[in-house]
């Protein structure tokens, strides 16, 4: 009973790495977060109303905290809804 080993396909040739995401706020010095700017904050909220994590949005930790605070302030002032529209 000789068992033959199946060779796995070489996955190293098919790996594609994504370009590292750069914090938009660090790159452009004049670009700031404002809780009154709902259009800018929409980029950091999913369609269900959740805050996008920094590993997906690409912001640094410092600016992600500022974005979260701005989103929460805008929600409390009813500029941005807490959740998506109810069905």
């Amino acid at each position: 009973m000789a068992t033959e080993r199946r060779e796995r396909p070489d996955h190293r040739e098919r790996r594609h790495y994504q370009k590292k995401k750069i914090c938009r706020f660090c790159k452009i010095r004049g670009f700031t977060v404002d809780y009154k700017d709902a259009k800018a904050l929409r980029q950091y909220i999913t369609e269900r109303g959740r805050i996008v994590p920094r590993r997906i949005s690409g912001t640094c930790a410092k600016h992600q905290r500022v974005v979260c605070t701005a989103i929460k302030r805008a929600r409390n002032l009813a500029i941005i809804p807490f959740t998506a529209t109810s069905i």
Side-chain angles (χ1 to χ4, degrees):
M1 290 184 93
T3 57
E4 294 182 27
R5 294 180 73 186
R6 291 189 302 176
E7 291 187 30
R8 294 185 345 168
D10 195 9
H11 294 289
R12 281 179 245 143
E13 296 156 2
R14 288 191 277 155
R15 278 200 186 138
H16 299 287
Y17 295 101
Q18 283 187 343
K19 184 179 174 184
K20 185 171 167 70
K21 296 176 183 172
I22 300 170
C23 179
R24 187 179 312 172
F25 304 104
C26 292
K27 187 176 179 181
I28 305 169
R29 292 289 174 186
F31 194 65
T32 57
V33 183
D34 189 19
Y35 70 92
K36 293 173 269 183
D37 190 8
K39 189 175 181 181
L41 293 176
R42 292 271 178 190
Q43 299 173 9
Y44 298 100
I45 300 175
T46 62
E47 60 239 7
R48 301 205 63 189
R50 295 180 179 178
I51 298 173
V52 176
R54 79 183 192 99
R55 69 176 185 273
I56 296 172
S57 66
T59 58
C60 64
K62 175 184 171 183
H63 289 112
Q64 180 69 23
R65 288 191 293 270
V66 175
V67 167
C68 286
T69 305
I71 290 171
K72 290 173 184 179
R73 284 181 182 166
R75 283 176 175 169
N76 285 328
L77 292 173
I79 298 171
I80 296 174
F82 277 93
T83 59
T85 56
S86 300
I87 297 175

